[in-house]
Amino acid sequence: MAVPALADMAQVDPGRVMLGFEGRDRGRPRPIALAIGLSQAVPYAVAVIDAPPRLVVDLRDTGIPSARPPGAEPLALRWGPGPQGGARAVLTLPGPMNLETAQMTAGASPALSLRLVPVKPADFRPRRDSLTVLRGLPEPSATAPAVVAGKRLLVVLDPGHGGIDPGAQVGELSEARLMLDFARELAAVLRERGIEVVLTREDDSFVPLEARTSVARARGADLFISLHADALPAGQAAGAAIYTWDARSNDRAARQLVLLHDRSDMLAGLDLSGTDEDVSRALFDLARLDTQPRSADAARQLVARLDAAGVDMHRVPIRGAAFSVLKSPDIPSVLIELGFLTDPDDRANLLDPGWRSRVAGALADGVVDWTPKGMAPKASDDAPDNTPDSDARFLPQ
């Protein structure tokens, strides 16, 4: 891997490195918040390891701070070189803690924000293998993070294919064009319901698969929806279906669709088929303990609304598949097959403005139905007190 020139490397901004406990000190473990301000967004890897419990953060293409910014025990970052270049920060934890969230934002104030929560020893899930930098992780989107007023839901719509890959084609119809048009229609309906919307592409351009989820991550998306209308041999598939991530799916049609979807990156000379070998599987699985149920719930809400609207569904409307755009472990994600261009009835529906309007309304209603369950915190008497007050220690590092 080529080492970037010093002038091209990101730098840690000591004035924007914040570390501290959340909530009031009442003699019980409290969550820890960490924000690392950077001169530019970079790929990163995060893991919690044991013996003793520590948080390890690797920042690729990042200079090591010349001196540790001033801090105070027991919370203080130690900086050093990463195993594959860049900078590594290590934080010794006060006890067993699991990583709850990790998000890299771009824009005017790039930063990596992390939150760790205390857990019982039996629930502690440290990494058992050595930490590796996440090679192949897409660069964060240069798009500035959205300013969400009143905690509005932010949905990222991903019109499938585009540019060098038109997707499924029947005559002059292309999946890429149809899905871009439908994404715009759905975006308009969502916005009418007070939901903020971002599209991964606004025209017939090529966007790499991993970059699509990078857009969602950089914007702090609450839900990622990928839109498709594929082609399979006659009789194999018809009707709408919604997919969530399932790397073990052995459904033949799903495997065929995965090959169709992932071909675009191979056409562009980007073979991402081995990316998962470089990914921290344990960390991804841990993050999916939260996001996977929320993805499944989103699928159920969307299917319920589509069914209520009289939309023809596949005989198995909720399915699993290893689509690359569903890999993100930190954002609830679904892929919607609105129908199949190879099926005459589906094709007629996709070209019918009235049908598309009905589907867009049903999907928007499903997103609204999902929102309280997906975003509301779970109340618990055992939950740590996260209420900030004058006793909360937020230490500049």
mmCIF file of all heavy atoms in Angstrom, residues 326-378:
data_model
loop_
_atom_site.group_PDB
_atom_site.id
_atom_site.type_symbol
_atom_site.label_atom_id
_atom_site.label_comp_id
_atom_site.label_asym_id
_atom_site.label_seq_id
_atom_site.Cartn_x
_atom_site.Cartn_y
_atom_site.Cartn_z
ATOM 1 N N LEU A 326 -26.107 -3.842 1.565
ATOM 2 C CA LEU A 326 -26.718 -4.101 2.870
ATOM 3 C C LEU A 326 -25.683 -4.462 3.922
ATOM 4 O O LEU A 326 -26.040 -4.812 5.048
ATOM 5 C CB LEU A 326 -27.738 -5.246 2.751
ATOM 6 C CG LEU A 326 -28.933 -5.003 1.825
ATOM 7 C CD1 LEU A 326 -29.854 -6.226 1.836
ATOM 8 C CD2 LEU A 326 -29.704 -3.762 2.233
ATOM 9 N N LYS A 327 -24.385 -4.358 3.573
ATOM 10 C CA LYS A 327 -23.330 -4.793 4.498
ATOM 11 C C LYS A 327 -23.164 -3.881 5.710
ATOM 12 O O LYS A 327 -22.636 -4.302 6.738
ATOM 13 C CB LYS A 327 -21.994 -4.857 3.762
ATOM 14 C CG LYS A 327 -21.815 -6.067 2.869
ATOM 15 C CD LYS A 327 -20.425 -6.045 2.247
ATOM 16 C CE LYS A 327 -20.202 -7.239 1.347
ATOM 17 N NZ LYS A 327 -18.857 -7.210 0.726
ATOM 18 N N SER A 328 -23.554 -2.628 5.591
ATOM 19 C CA SER A 328 -23.263 -1.665 6.658
ATOM 20 C C SER A 328 -23.797 -2.161 7.997
ATOM 21 O O SER A 328 -24.990 -2.433 8.131
ATOM 22 C CB SER A 328 -23.884 -0.306 6.333
ATOM 23 O OG SER A 328 -23.654 0.610 7.380
ATOM 24 N N PRO A 329 -22.931 -2.292 9.012
ATOM 25 C CA PRO A 329 -23.386 -2.822 10.294
ATOM 26 C C PRO A 329 -24.013 -1.773 11.188
ATOM 27 O O PRO A 329 -24.620 -2.104 12.209
ATOM 28 C CB PRO A 329 -22.089 -3.345 10.921
ATOM 29 C CG PRO A 329 -21.053 -2.396 10.415
ATOM 30 C CD PRO A 329 -21.473 -2.049 8.999
ATOM 31 N N ASP A 330 -23.872 -0.487 10.847
ATOM 32 C CA ASP A 330 -24.303 0.566 11.763
ATOM 33 C C ASP A 330 -25.518 1.344 11.284
ATOM 34 O O ASP A 330 -25.958 2.265 11.963
ATOM 35 C CB ASP A 330 -23.141 1.544 12.021
ATOM 36 C CG ASP A 330 -22.518 2.068 10.735
ATOM 37 O OD1 ASP A 330 -22.783 1.499 9.676
ATOM 38 O OD2 ASP A 330 -21.742 3.041 10.805
ATOM 39 N N ILE A 331 -26.093 0.974 10.132
ATOM 40 C CA ILE A 331 -27.271 1.661 9.608
ATOM 41 C C ILE A 331 -28.308 0.623 9.220
ATOM 42 O O ILE A 331 -28.022 -0.252 8.398
ATOM 43 C CB ILE A 331 -26.920 2.527 8.382
ATOM 44 C CG1 ILE A 331 -25.832 3.553 8.728
ATOM 45 C CG2 ILE A 331 -28.169 3.245 7.857
ATOM 46 C CD1 ILE A 331 -25.312 4.304 7.523
ATOM 47 N N PRO A 332 -29.512 0.670 9.773
ATOM 48 C CA PRO A 332 -30.562 -0.238 9.312
ATOM 49 C C PRO A 332 -30.751 -0.088 7.810
ATOM 50 O O PRO A 332 -30.883 1.034 7.305
ATOM 51 C CB PRO A 332 -31.796 0.226 10.091
ATOM 52 C CG PRO A 332 -31.246 0.876 11.327
ATOM 53 C CD PRO A 332 -29.965 1.533 10.885
ATOM 54 N N SER A 333 -30.757 -1.207 7.088
ATOM 55 C CA SER A 333 -30.752 -1.164 5.632
ATOM 56 C C SER A 333 -31.681 -2.217 5.059
ATOM 57 O O SER A 333 -31.747 -3.341 5.561
ATOM 58 C CB SER A 333 -29.331 -1.408 5.091
ATOM 59 O OG SER A 333 -28.404 -0.512 5.656
ATOM 60 N N VAL A 334 -32.388 -1.840 3.993
ATOM 61 C CA VAL A 334 -33.232 -2.781 3.268
ATOM 62 C C VAL A 334 -33.038 -2.550 1.775
ATOM 63 O O VAL A 334 -32.685 -1.450 1.344
ATOM 64 C CB VAL A 334 -34.730 -2.637 3.626
ATOM 65 C CG1 VAL A 334 -34.981 -2.967 5.087
ATOM 66 C CG2 VAL A 334 -35.242 -1.242 3.292
ATOM 67 N N LEU A 335 -33.255 -3.594 1.004
ATOM 68 C CA LEU A 335 -33.241 -3.494 -0.456
ATOM 69 C C LEU A 335 -34.617 -3.900 -0.947
ATOM 70 O O LEU A 335 -35.118 -4.979 -0.603
ATOM 71 C CB LEU A 335 -32.161 -4.379 -1.056
ATOM 72 C CG LEU A 335 -31.978 -4.284 -2.581
ATOM 73 C CD1 LEU A 335 -30.511 -4.464 -2.963
ATOM 74 C CD2 LEU A 335 -32.841 -5.321 -3.309
ATOM 75 N N ILE A 336 -35.239 -3.024 -1.728
ATOM 76 C CA ILE A 336 -36.596 -3.264 -2.212
ATOM 77 C C ILE A 336 -36.559 -3.605 -3.696
ATOM 78 O O ILE A 336 -36.076 -2.808 -4.503
ATOM 79 C CB ILE A 336 -37.494 -2.034 -1.983
ATOM 80 C CG1 ILE A 336 -37.527 -1.663 -0.497
ATOM 81 C CG2 ILE A 336 -38.907 -2.303 -2.491
ATOM 82 C CD1 ILE A 336 -38.329 -0.409 -0.199
ATOM 83 N N GLU A 337 -37.018 -4.794 -4.029
ATOM 84 C CA GLU A 337 -37.269 -5.150 -5.414
ATOM 85 C C GLU A 337 -38.722 -4.772 -5.689
ATOM 86 O O GLU A 337 -39.664 -5.427 -5.226
ATOM 87 C CB GLU A 337 -37.063 -6.649 -5.637
ATOM 88 C CG GLU A 337 -35.621 -7.105 -5.607
ATOM 89 C CD GLU A 337 -34.858 -6.738 -6.879
ATOM 90 O OE1 GLU A 337 -35.472 -6.156 -7.800
ATOM 91 O OE2 GLU A 337 -33.651 -7.044 -6.940
ATOM 92 N N LEU A 338 -38.933 -3.693 -6.432
ATOM 93 C CA LEU A 338 -40.288 -3.236 -6.702
ATOM 94 C C LEU A 338 -41.025 -4.164 -7.648
ATOM 95 O O LEU A 338 -42.263 -4.159 -7.713
ATOM 96 C CB LEU A 338 -40.244 -1.827 -7.299
ATOM 97 C CG LEU A 338 -39.780 -0.733 -6.342
ATOM 98 C CD1 LEU A 338 -39.552 0.562 -7.101
ATOM 99 C CD2 LEU A 338 -40.800 -0.531 -5.240
ATOM 100 N N GLY A 339 -40.307 -4.968 -8.378
ATOM 101 C CA GLY A 339 -40.869 -5.891 -9.345
ATOM 102 C C GLY A 339 -39.773 -6.305 -10.302
ATOM 103 O O GLY A 339 -38.606 -5.928 -10.128
ATOM 104 N N PHE A 340 -40.121 -7.074 -11.310
ATOM 105 C CA PHE A 340 -39.126 -7.588 -12.238
ATOM 106 C C PHE A 340 -39.508 -7.187 -13.659
ATOM 107 O O PHE A 340 -40.633 -7.453 -14.117
ATOM 108 C CB PHE A 340 -39.009 -9.106 -12.108
ATOM 109 C CG PHE A 340 -38.393 -9.523 -10.802
ATOM 110 C CD1 PHE A 340 -39.160 -9.606 -9.654
ATOM 111 C CD2 PHE A 340 -37.039 -9.788 -10.718
ATOM 112 C CE1 PHE A 340 -38.584 -9.957 -8.440
ATOM 113 C CE2 PHE A 340 -36.454 -10.143 -9.518
ATOM 114 C CZ PHE A 340 -37.228 -10.227 -8.375
ATOM 115 N N LEU A 341 -38.568 -6.554 -14.345
ATOM 116 C CA LEU A 341 -38.824 -6.093 -15.702
ATOM 117 C C LEU A 341 -39.120 -7.253 -16.645
ATOM 118 O O LEU A 341 -39.728 -7.055 -17.707
ATOM 119 C CB LEU A 341 -37.631 -5.287 -16.223
ATOM 120 C CG LEU A 341 -37.415 -3.913 -15.595
ATOM 121 C CD1 LEU A 341 -36.195 -3.227 -16.212
ATOM 122 C CD2 LEU A 341 -38.648 -3.037 -15.768
ATOM 123 N N THR A 342 -38.696 -8.457 -16.278
ATOM 124 C CA THR A 342 -38.945 -9.621 -17.124
ATOM 125 C C THR A 342 -40.356 -10.170 -16.954
ATOM 126 O O THR A 342 -40.768 -11.041 -17.724
ATOM 127 C CB THR A 342 -37.919 -10.715 -16.790
ATOM 128 O OG1 THR A 342 -37.744 -10.792 -15.360
ATOM 129 C CG2 THR A 342 -36.592 -10.427 -17.449
ATOM 130 N N ASP A 343 -41.096 -9.679 -15.964
ATOM 131 C CA ASP A 343 -42.477 -10.115 -15.771
ATOM 132 C C ASP A 343 -43.408 -9.072 -16.385
ATOM 133 O O ASP A 343 -43.341 -7.893 -16.020
ATOM 134 C CB ASP A 343 -42.779 -10.282 -14.284
ATOM 135 C CG ASP A 343 -44.195 -10.764 -14.048
ATOM 136 O OD1 ASP A 343 -44.432 -11.978 -14.162
ATOM 137 O OD2 ASP A 343 -45.065 -9.908 -13.763
ATOM 138 N N PRO A 344 -44.284 -9.449 -17.306
ATOM 139 C CA PRO A 344 -45.131 -8.460 -17.989
ATOM 140 C C PRO A 344 -45.986 -7.625 -17.041
ATOM 141 O O PRO A 344 -46.121 -6.410 -17.230
ATOM 142 C CB PRO A 344 -46.000 -9.327 -18.916
ATOM 143 C CG PRO A 344 -45.217 -10.576 -19.116
ATOM 144 C CD PRO A 344 -44.481 -10.808 -17.839
ATOM 145 N N ASP A 345 -46.585 -8.257 -16.031
ATOM 146 C CA ASP A 345 -47.426 -7.503 -15.094
ATOM 147 C C ASP A 345 -46.596 -6.517 -14.286
ATOM 148 O O ASP A 345 -46.992 -5.360 -14.087
ATOM 149 C CB ASP A 345 -48.170 -8.459 -14.165
ATOM 150 C CG ASP A 345 -49.219 -9.289 -14.887
ATOM 151 O OD1 ASP A 345 -49.700 -8.834 -15.953
ATOM 152 O OD2 ASP A 345 -49.544 -10.389 -14.408
ATOM 153 N N ASP A 346 -45.437 -6.972 -13.791
ATOM 154 C CA ASP A 346 -44.556 -6.075 -13.034
ATOM 155 C C ASP A 346 -44.104 -4.910 -13.910
ATOM 156 O O ASP A 346 -44.046 -3.758 -13.457
ATOM 157 C CB ASP A 346 -43.331 -6.836 -12.521
ATOM 158 C CG ASP A 346 -43.651 -7.720 -11.322
ATOM 159 O OD1 ASP A 346 -44.828 -7.739 -10.908
ATOM 160 O OD2 ASP A 346 -42.739 -8.387 -10.817
ATOM 161 N N ARG A 347 -43.761 -5.216 -15.141
ATOM 162 C CA ARG A 347 -43.276 -4.176 -16.051
ATOM 163 C C ARG A 347 -44.361 -3.130 -16.301
ATOM 164 O O ARG A 347 -44.091 -1.927 -16.292
ATOM 165 C CB ARG A 347 -42.817 -4.810 -17.359
ATOM 166 C CG ARG A 347 -42.120 -3.840 -18.295
ATOM 167 C CD ARG A 347 -41.377 -4.573 -19.402
ATOM 168 N NE ARG A 347 -42.250 -5.352 -20.265
ATOM 169 C CZ ARG A 347 -42.286 -6.684 -20.318
ATOM 170 N NH1 ARG A 347 -41.484 -7.404 -19.540
ATOM 171 N NH2 ARG A 347 -43.112 -7.322 -21.141
ATOM 172 N N ALA A 348 -45.592 -3.588 -16.478
ATOM 173 C CA ALA A 348 -46.699 -2.650 -16.684
ATOM 174 C C ALA A 348 -46.898 -1.780 -15.441
ATOM 175 O O ALA A 348 -47.158 -0.569 -15.544
ATOM 176 C CB ALA A 348 -47.981 -3.412 -17.020
ATOM 177 N N ASN A 349 -46.782 -2.377 -14.258
ATOM 178 C CA ASN A 349 -46.929 -1.607 -13.025
ATOM 179 C C ASN A 349 -45.854 -0.531 -12.912
ATOM 180 O O ASN A 349 -46.134 0.624 -12.567
ATOM 181 C CB ASN A 349 -46.842 -2.528 -11.808
ATOM 182 C CG ASN A 349 -48.093 -3.351 -11.605
ATOM 183 O OD1 ASN A 349 -49.182 -2.969 -12.042
ATOM 184 N ND2 ASN A 349 -47.952 -4.494 -10.949
ATOM 185 N N LEU A 350 -44.613 -0.906 -13.185
ATOM 186 C CA LEU A 350 -43.502 0.031 -13.045
ATOM 187 C C LEU A 350 -43.628 1.222 -13.988
ATOM 188 O O LEU A 350 -43.094 2.304 -13.709
ATOM 189 C CB LEU A 350 -42.179 -0.691 -13.291
ATOM 190 C CG LEU A 350 -41.770 -1.699 -12.205
ATOM 191 C CD1 LEU A 350 -40.689 -2.637 -12.719
ATOM 192 C CD2 LEU A 350 -41.287 -0.961 -10.965
ATOM 193 N N LEU A 351 -44.357 1.042 -15.086
ATOM 194 C CA LEU A 351 -44.546 2.130 -16.036
ATOM 195 C C LEU A 351 -45.833 2.918 -15.772
ATOM 196 O O LEU A 351 -46.098 3.914 -16.447
ATOM 197 C CB LEU A 351 -44.580 1.572 -17.465
ATOM 198 C CG LEU A 351 -43.261 0.964 -17.962
ATOM 199 C CD1 LEU A 351 -43.466 0.309 -19.327
ATOM 200 C CD2 LEU A 351 -42.164 2.016 -18.038
ATOM 201 N N ASP A 352 -46.616 2.484 -14.791
ATOM 202 C CA ASP A 352 -47.901 3.116 -14.475
ATOM 203 C C ASP A 352 -47.713 4.186 -13.401
ATOM 204 O O ASP A 352 -47.398 3.851 -12.248
ATOM 205 C CB ASP A 352 -48.884 2.040 -14.000
ATOM 206 C CG ASP A 352 -50.248 2.612 -13.649
ATOM 207 O OD1 ASP A 352 -50.453 3.830 -13.793
ATOM 208 O OD2 ASP A 352 -51.106 1.831 -13.216
ATOM 209 N N PRO A 353 -47.903 5.470 -13.721
ATOM 210 C CA PRO A 353 -47.729 6.533 -12.716
ATOM 211 C C PRO A 353 -48.623 6.343 -11.493
ATOM 212 O O PRO A 353 -48.203 6.629 -10.366
ATOM 213 C CB PRO A 353 -48.092 7.806 -13.487
ATOM 214 C CG PRO A 353 -47.874 7.465 -14.918
ATOM 215 C CD PRO A 353 -48.231 6.021 -15.045
ATOM 216 N N GLY A 354 -49.844 5.854 -11.692
ATOM 217 C CA GLY A 354 -50.743 5.639 -10.566
ATOM 218 C C GLY A 354 -50.227 4.571 -9.631
ATOM 219 O O GLY A 354 -50.296 4.711 -8.399
ATOM 220 N N TRP A 355 -49.702 3.469 -10.199
ATOM 221 C CA TRP A 355 -49.139 2.396 -9.363
ATOM 222 C C TRP A 355 -47.924 2.891 -8.592
ATOM 223 O O TRP A 355 -47.789 2.625 -7.397
ATOM 224 C CB TRP A 355 -48.758 1.219 -10.257
ATOM 225 C CG TRP A 355 -48.260 0.007 -9.506
ATOM 226 C CD1 TRP A 355 -48.998 -1.024 -9.015
ATOM 227 C CD2 TRP A 355 -46.890 -0.279 -9.179
ATOM 228 N NE1 TRP A 355 -48.187 -1.936 -8.397
ATOM 229 C CE2 TRP A 355 -46.884 -1.508 -8.467
ATOM 230 C CE3 TRP A 355 -45.686 0.377 -9.395
ATOM 231 C CZ2 TRP A 355 -45.710 -2.091 -8.001
ATOM 232 C CZ3 TRP A 355 -44.518 -0.204 -8.923
ATOM 233 C CH2 TRP A 355 -44.530 -1.419 -8.232
ATOM 234 N N ARG A 356 -47.051 3.611 -9.277
ATOM 235 C CA ARG A 356 -45.843 4.124 -8.605
ATOM 236 C C ARG A 356 -46.225 5.075 -7.474
ATOM 237 O O ARG A 356 -45.618 5.048 -6.398
ATOM 238 C CB ARG A 356 -44.934 4.830 -9.604
ATOM 239 C CG ARG A 356 -44.314 3.902 -10.642
ATOM 240 C CD ARG A 356 -43.084 4.539 -11.284
ATOM 241 N NE ARG A 356 -43.368 5.871 -11.797
ATOM 242 C CZ ARG A 356 -43.787 6.138 -13.027
ATOM 243 N NH1 ARG A 356 -44.002 5.138 -13.882
ATOM 244 N NH2 ARG A 356 -43.991 7.378 -13.424
ATOM 245 N N SER A 357 -47.238 5.912 -7.696
ATOM 246 C CA SER A 357 -47.675 6.840 -6.648
ATOM 247 C C SER A 357 -48.211 6.080 -5.441
ATOM 248 O O SER A 357 -47.937 6.437 -4.289
ATOM 249 C CB SER A 357 -48.743 7.774 -7.211
ATOM 250 O OG SER A 357 -49.234 8.634 -6.204
ATOM 251 N N ARG A 358 -48.985 5.010 -5.713
ATOM 252 C CA ARG A 358 -49.536 4.206 -4.617
ATOM 253 C C ARG A 358 -48.423 3.518 -3.835
ATOM 254 O O ARG A 358 -48.449 3.471 -2.591
ATOM 255 C CB ARG A 358 -50.497 3.172 -5.213
ATOM 256 C CG ARG A 358 -51.195 2.284 -4.208
ATOM 257 C CD ARG A 358 -52.521 1.773 -4.769
ATOM 258 N NE ARG A 358 -52.361 1.228 -6.116
ATOM 259 C CZ ARG A 358 -52.198 -0.075 -6.382
ATOM 260 N NH1 ARG A 358 -52.160 -0.950 -5.389
ATOM 261 N NH2 ARG A 358 -52.083 -0.490 -7.625
ATOM 262 N N VAL A 359 -47.423 3.006 -4.531
ATOM 263 C CA VAL A 359 -46.305 2.337 -3.865
ATOM 264 C C VAL A 359 -45.480 3.342 -3.061
ATOM 265 O O VAL A 359 -45.086 3.063 -1.920
ATOM 266 C CB VAL A 359 -45.420 1.612 -4.891
ATOM 267 C CG1 VAL A 359 -44.138 1.114 -4.246
ATOM 268 C CG2 VAL A 359 -46.185 0.443 -5.505
ATOM 269 N N ALA A 360 -45.222 4.514 -3.631
ATOM 270 C CA ALA A 360 -44.447 5.533 -2.914
ATOM 271 C C ALA A 360 -45.164 5.933 -1.631
ATOM 272 O O ALA A 360 -44.534 6.082 -0.568
ATOM 273 C CB ALA A 360 -44.222 6.749 -3.810
ATOM 274 N N GLY A 361 -46.484 6.094 -1.697
ATOM 275 C CA GLY A 361 -47.235 6.443 -0.492
ATOM 276 C C GLY A 361 -47.182 5.350 0.550
ATOM 277 O O GLY A 361 -47.033 5.615 1.755
ATOM 278 N N ALA A 362 -47.299 4.084 0.102
ATOM 279 C CA ALA A 362 -47.248 2.963 1.043
ATOM 280 C C ALA A 362 -45.880 2.858 1.701
ATOM 281 O O ALA A 362 -45.767 2.630 2.920
ATOM 282 C CB ALA A 362 -47.592 1.666 0.314
ATOM 283 N N LEU A 363 -44.811 3.018 0.917
ATOM 284 C CA LEU A 363 -43.467 2.953 1.492
ATOM 285 C C LEU A 363 -43.227 4.091 2.476
ATOM 286 O O LEU A 363 -42.628 3.886 3.547
ATOM 287 C CB LEU A 363 -42.418 2.990 0.378
ATOM 288 C CG LEU A 363 -42.360 1.763 -0.537
ATOM 289 C CD1 LEU A 363 -41.358 1.980 -1.668
ATOM 290 C CD2 LEU A 363 -42.014 0.506 0.247
ATOM 291 N N ALA A 364 -43.697 5.286 2.140
ATOM 292 C CA ALA A 364 -43.534 6.419 3.060
ATOM 293 C C ALA A 364 -44.286 6.156 4.356
ATOM 294 O O ALA A 364 -43.781 6.441 5.454
ATOM 295 C CB ALA A 364 -44.025 7.698 2.394
ATOM 296 N N ASP A 365 -45.494 5.608 4.259
ATOM 297 C CA ASP A 365 -46.251 5.278 5.465
ATOM 298 C C ASP A 365 -45.514 4.224 6.294
ATOM 299 O O ASP A 365 -45.498 4.281 7.532
ATOM 300 C CB ASP A 365 -47.639 4.751 5.091
ATOM 301 C CG ASP A 365 -48.551 5.843 4.549
ATOM 302 O OD1 ASP A 365 -48.275 7.034 4.816
ATOM 303 O OD2 ASP A 365 -49.538 5.508 3.859
ATOM 304 N N GLY A 366 -44.904 3.249 5.601
ATOM 305 C CA GLY A 366 -44.147 2.230 6.317
ATOM 306 C C GLY A 366 -42.955 2.813 7.056
ATOM 307 O O GLY A 366 -42.646 2.400 8.181
ATOM 308 N N VAL A 367 -42.270 3.769 6.432
ATOM 309 C CA VAL A 367 -41.139 4.426 7.099
ATOM 310 C C VAL A 367 -41.622 5.183 8.328
ATOM 311 O O VAL A 367 -41.000 5.131 9.398
ATOM 312 C CB VAL A 367 -40.414 5.369 6.117
ATOM 313 C CG1 VAL A 367 -39.380 6.211 6.861
ATOM 314 C CG2 VAL A 367 -39.739 4.571 5.011
ATOM 315 N N VAL A 368 -42.748 5.881 8.202
ATOM 316 C CA VAL A 368 -43.305 6.613 9.352
ATOM 317 C C VAL A 368 -43.676 5.640 10.464
ATOM 318 O O VAL A 368 -43.410 5.888 11.646
ATOM 319 C CB VAL A 368 -44.531 7.439 8.913
ATOM 320 C CG1 VAL A 368 -45.245 8.023 10.132
ATOM 321 C CG2 VAL A 368 -44.112 8.559 7.967
ATOM 322 N N ASP A 369 -44.285 4.496 10.109
ATOM 323 C CA ASP A 369 -44.644 3.493 11.119
ATOM 324 C C ASP A 369 -43.410 2.965 11.838
ATOM 325 O O ASP A 369 -43.451 2.670 13.037
ATOM 326 C CB ASP A 369 -45.372 2.317 10.460
ATOM 327 C CG ASP A 369 -46.747 2.697 9.946
ATOM 328 O OD1 ASP A 369 -47.280 3.749 10.366
ATOM 329 O OD2 ASP A 369 -47.280 1.950 9.103
ATOM 330 N N TRP A 370 -42.315 2.818 11.095
ATOM 331 C CA TRP A 370 -41.086 2.258 11.670
ATOM 332 C C TRP A 370 -40.366 3.246 12.576
ATOM 333 O O TRP A 370 -39.710 2.847 13.543
ATOM 334 C CB TRP A 370 -40.144 1.846 10.537
ATOM 335 C CG TRP A 370 -38.773 1.443 10.962
ATOM 336 C CD1 TRP A 370 -38.377 0.223 11.413
ATOM 337 C CD2 TRP A 370 -37.594 2.263 10.963
ATOM 338 N NE1 TRP A 370 -37.030 0.219 11.684
ATOM 339 C CE2 TRP A 370 -36.528 1.466 11.425
ATOM 340 C CE3 TRP A 370 -37.345 3.592 10.623
ATOM 341 C CZ2 TRP A 370 -35.226 1.955 11.547
ATOM 342 C CZ3 TRP A 370 -36.052 4.079 10.742
ATOM 343 C CH2 TRP A 370 -35.013 3.270 11.198
ATOM 344 N N THR A 371 -40.506 4.524 12.340
ATOM 345 C CA THR A 371 -39.688 5.537 12.998
ATOM 346 C C THR A 371 -39.696 5.465 14.520
ATOM 347 O O THR A 371 -38.635 5.425 15.134
ATOM 348 C CB THR A 371 -40.090 6.949 12.526
ATOM 349 O OG1 THR A 371 -39.934 7.013 11.121
ATOM 350 C CG2 THR A 371 -39.225 7.998 13.194
ATOM 351 N N PRO A 372 -40.837 5.426 15.205
ATOM 352 C CA PRO A 372 -40.798 5.387 16.674
ATOM 353 C C PRO A 372 -40.072 4.174 17.216
ATOM 354 O O PRO A 372 -39.316 4.266 18.176
ATOM 355 C CB PRO A 372 -42.279 5.364 17.060
ATOM 356 C CG PRO A 372 -42.995 5.925 15.884
ATOM 357 C CD PRO A 372 -42.203 5.475 14.696
ATOM 358 N N LYS A 373 -40.274 3.015 16.570
ATOM 359 C CA LYS A 373 -39.617 1.809 17.060
ATOM 360 C C LYS A 373 -38.129 1.842 16.771
ATOM 361 O O LYS A 373 -37.328 1.339 17.537
ATOM 362 C CB LYS A 373 -40.242 0.579 16.406
ATOM 363 C CG LYS A 373 -41.707 0.370 16.768
ATOM 364 C CD LYS A 373 -42.258 -0.859 16.086
ATOM 365 C CE LYS A 373 -43.727 -1.067 16.419
ATOM 366 N NZ LYS A 373 -44.290 -2.248 15.731
ATOM 367 N N GLY A 374 -37.756 2.435 15.674
ATOM 368 C CA GLY A 374 -36.348 2.449 15.296
ATOM 369 C C GLY A 374 -35.523 3.489 16.010
ATOM 370 O O GLY A 374 -34.328 3.335 16.165
ATOM 371 N N MET A 375 -36.183 4.571 16.483
ATOM 372 C CA MET A 375 -35.407 5.669 17.043
ATOM 373 C C MET A 375 -35.643 5.891 18.526
ATOM 374 O O MET A 375 -34.837 6.501 19.192
ATOM 375 C CB MET A 375 -35.726 6.956 16.277
ATOM 376 C CG MET A 375 -35.350 6.897 14.808
ATOM 377 S SD MET A 375 -35.526 8.479 13.969
ATOM 378 C CE MET A 375 -34.150 9.392 14.684
ATOM 379 N N ALA A 376 -36.769 5.455 19.046
ATOM 380 C CA ALA A 376 -37.055 5.700 20.456
ATOM 381 C C ALA A 376 -36.142 4.851 21.331
ATOM 382 O O ALA A 376 -35.947 3.667 21.072
ATOM 383 C CB ALA A 376 -38.505 5.371 20.760
ATOM 384 N N PRO A 377 -35.564 5.436 22.403
ATOM 385 C CA PRO A 377 -34.706 4.647 23.302
ATOM 386 C C PRO A 377 -35.521 3.661 24.111
ATOM 387 O O PRO A 377 -36.701 3.876 24.379
ATOM 388 C CB PRO A 377 -34.066 5.711 24.197
ATOM 389 C CG PRO A 377 -35.043 6.839 24.190
ATOM 390 C CD PRO A 377 -35.659 6.833 22.821
ATOM 391 N N LYS A 378 -34.892 2.567 24.458
ATOM 392 C CA LYS A 378 -35.558 1.561 25.284
ATOM 393 C C LYS A 378 -35.429 1.945 26.756
ATOM 394 O O LYS A 378 -34.339 2.100 27.279
ATOM 395 C CB LYS A 378 -34.935 0.179 25.052
ATOM 396 C CG LYS A 378 -35.118 -0.325 23.619
ATOM 397 C CD LYS A 378 -34.472 -1.669 23.467
ATOM 398 C CE LYS A 378 -34.629 -2.183 22.032
ATOM 399 N NZ LYS A 378 -33.976 -3.487 21.852
#
